[in-house]
Amino acid sequence: CIDILEDPVIKNVIVLQTVLQEVRNRSAPVYKRIRDVIQNPEKHFYSFTNEHHRETYIEQGRGESSNDRNDRAIRVAVKWYNEHLKKIEDEEKIQVIFLTNDRTNKEKALEEGITAYTCEEYIKSLTANPDLVDRLACVSDEGKEIESGKIIFPEHIPLSKLQQGIKSGIYLQGTYRASRDNYLEATVWVHGDAEENKEIIIQGLKHLNRAVHEDIVAVELLAKDEWVAPSSVVLQDDGQNEDDIENEEEKENILKTSVNKDMLRPTGKVVGIIKRNWRPFCGMLSKSQIKEARRHLFTPADRRIPRIRIETRQADTLEGQRIIVAIDGWPRNSRYPNGHFVKSLGSAGDKETETEVLLLEHDVPHQPFSQAVLSFLPKMPWSITEQDMKYREDLRHLYVCSVDPPGCTDIDDALHCREYIKNLEIKIHTYKLLSSNLCSLRSNVDRLAFSCIWEMNHKAEILKTRFTKSIINSKASLTYAEAQMRIDSATMNDDITTSLRGLNKLAKILKKRRIDNGALTLSSPEVRFHMDSETHDPIDLQTKELKETNSMVEEFMLLANVSVAQKIYEEFPEFALLRKHPAPPPSNYDILVKAAKSKNLEIKTDSAKALAESLDKAGSPTFPYLNTLLRILATRCMMQAVYFCSGMDNDFHHYGLASPIYTHFTSPIRRYADIIVHRLLAVAIGADSTYPELTDKHKLADMCKNLNYRHKMAQYAQRASVAFHTQLFFKNKGVVNEDAYILFVRKNAVVVLIPKYGLEGTVFFEEKGKPTLRLDYNNEVPSLTVEDTTLHVFDKVKVNIMLDASNIQHQKIRMVLVEPKVSYKVCDS
């Protein structure tokens, strides 16, 4: 009942040490939340160390279970508090109330003369705060479950038996990952060394067996003749009738259509839950059609999360609001889990509300910094002191400049190149202090920096590398377009322009050398929004244009990252923070190889170099965009790059960059990994001292795990933000007709890319209540025939784009195929 305890109404609470220890063992997030409540002075919550107090400590009795002993310790502490408070002289007698949802403990407390209530009884007695009732956890006895009675799911095997089964190899343990596109399918990523069954497919309601995305589950493999292939059907759970199990069985039959035996994958069923990873979920209320109903379904924003049944008296108020709901349990005879309302975030579609949802759903910390943290900020006005000068190299005389996108305020890097006898000296300077002012390498102000300095010959071969803490004064903050204009100008020959030309010339050589070594040049359409200065609504949407200077900056950033990686690994082979990019398994390339083959092109994937070379050759004079589409598809085949600790891994290779070693050094403003790398580098060159956590490879490995998680969630949040702003852009545009290319074909849909906007969407060929279209899916080609029209990967088509706001649960961009014409209507993105 943590959501209840956090409410401002609930004050004057004693939380016993016995309880805190149990919460800590069960749930770290809830433990942190209760600690935060205790530390809030306005709440008057206190923790009492009853396990270390002479009059409240008790020994475990002979034959008494640990749970019974703890229950008794709680009752002893309540009785002591009652007696203790009687001694305090006060006009008003203070009553101690014991709250517990443990039925047996409550009964014993009442027998011993203690005033005891369940959480529900107590909250319902607070008649001045009826809204609190909605926030009660839905607690039910496992045996009773809910009224409907019909068993839908198999029973979960108890944890003790699961652990024995995992140890003996009967069951496999792994992380459950629900599908975004098909609510009747999931995969379980097996923990440990079971390489041959690393990913297990789960299909069908009964086999999914009440697991929720990111739960740790136990899986039993099915016999090989029951194995299935990953489904190509897109299925959304859009039914309102939660008891319509027959409809679910019909949908499951769609999944079982005949497939090529080569496509079959290890398949299993969830037999038990090792650990629930439930969190508060954002979404919207799907109000019941029954008048005066208190029971409603909640539809999460994340399609991988099942709908949740909640009870609320505020349905009329909450309709159209974004709300937060927590899951409390999932009985065997309920189609959906039970949960409770936590709080409202605001109106759906409101920019501030949707941004809050975005950040919460992707676990992006966004609360304001505490005063304790802010107290470490430098006092303004800030300036470089004589003490700073003692330990830094003064490079303010050099013609340093920065090159960034328009409107960039967090300038991480500045560059410089000058002729040095017969060779060239190139400097990359990065900085780490704070955001868009003091830590930004703005022009015409002194700034602290960390410089990577190379001496190169005209063939871009490094003759000498050194690193130094420095002071710089950037002479210009340029955009990519401004830098390009200087390089191309026939009249400009000032020091900055000469420096840029030298950098650009060397960058071209560096890039060619990288590509010759097997580095990949992939493609991913990036979207840029132009915002209204007053409303901050997007008024234009276009793909980002890349100039030669983008590549120039990128080459030197890559080189700096490689040089720093080499230095910190040389100094600290056991605890360097590095970044690697694993080579994809061959099966990842199947979709790329088949798509290329459909255009009579061969893509070789046995090495990064072979892939790079075959992508360079893959093209068509009559279809110039084909190469870009192939590179976009190749990007989807890649593995995720990850941070790791050098002392805990043997494979350092970065597949995409074809580099034996790599790290992140050049963006300390926006990446915490770079700050750690800066610290390591400072120690490596004798510019700073170390501290214990920096040289503990186990702690560094844990940090890398968190960095990888945060990086992944930030990427997802960015994509979701682009999707939301795209909806805002099309909100008042009506129907927009645009050229598109088919990226993927599914059994009942095609995924298209619209180059003008860098926008992807799904065009469906099935709709509830509409005549059924004849669909023929060919996985080998791959193609989808709709009635008499056959659609292939990379086909150019025309689509109508519009915002569909009819379903307030999920506003979406709808796409309808216009050319070639097919007799249907619908789609979803």
Side-chain angles (χ1 to χ4, degrees), residues 439-645:
C439 70
S440 185
L441 301 181
R442 300 192 300 179
S443 56
N444 303 313
V445 287
D446 292 350
R447 288 291 180 256
L448 305 179
F450 209 146
S451 298
C452 173
I453 303 170
W454 301 282
E455 186 181 323
M456 287 182 181
N457 60 24
H458 288 271
K459 295 178 183 175
E461 293 166 338
I462 298 171
L463 307 175
K464 188 178 171 185
T465 306
R466 70 184 183 94
F467 307 94
T468 182
K469 292 267 184 124
S470 61
I471 300 171
I472 67 166
N473 186 301
S474 174
K475 302 300 184 281
S477 299
L478 305 174
T479 64
Y480 291 119
E482 287 167 345
Q484 191 68 54
M485 185 188 72
R486 280 175 175 262
I487 290 168
D488 297 339
S489 171
T491 58
M492 296 182 80
N493 292 297
D494 57 278
D495 289 323
I496 289 174
T497 304
T498 304
S499 173
L500 287 169
R501 286 179 185 140
L503 288 165
N504 197 42
K505 186 179 175 184
L506 293 167
K508 289 178 180 177
I509 301 169
L510 290 169
K511 184 173 184 177
K512 183 180 184 306
R513 187 179 300 147
R514 243 180 0 96
I515 291 169
D516 288 346
N517 288 337
L520 295 171
T521 306
L522 299 178
S523 185
S524 160
E526 286 191 71
V527 175
R528 183 173 183 83
F529 292 96
H530 294 276
M531 313 299 275
D532 185 287
S533 58
E534 290 182 14
T535 65
H536 299 290
D537 284 339
I539 53 175
D540 195 12
L541 172 62
Q542 56 191 213
T543 49
K544 289 184 183 177
E545 183 189 352
L546 297 180
K547 297 188 178 293
E548 209 174 64
T549 42
N550 290 74
S551 181
M552 177 191 79
V553 173
E554 182 187 19
E555 285 308 316
F556 284 107
M557 297 306 107
L558 293 175
L559 189 61
N561 287 336
V562 170
S563 298
V564 171
Q566 290 166 341
K567 180 66 177 177
I568 61 173
Y569 178 60
E570 183 185 297
E571 288 290 324
F572 310 117
E574 285 295 297
F575 44 87
L577 192 157
L578 302 175
R579 188 164 175 81
K580 68 174 182 175
H581 182 211
S587 59
N588 276 31
Y589 288 121
D590 287 352
I591 191 160
L592 173 65
V593 171
K594 284 178 183 175
K597 192 177 177 184
S598 72
K599 297 294 178 189
N600 299 315
L601 296 169
E602 184 185 11
I603 298 291
K604 293 179 180 175
T605 60
D606 42 320
S607 70
K609 188 170 173 60
L611 175 62
E613 287 175 351
S614 52
L615 282 171
D616 286 343
K617 293 173 188 171
S620 165
T622 58
F623 188 0
Y625 198 65
L626 176 61
N627 190 265
T628 303
L629 289 169
L630 284 165
R631 290 182 192 277
I632 290 170
L633 216 51
T635 306
R636 309 296 166 89
C637 303
M638 294 297 127
M639 303 292 282
Q640 184 71 45
V642 290
Y643 297 107
F644 68 101
C645 171

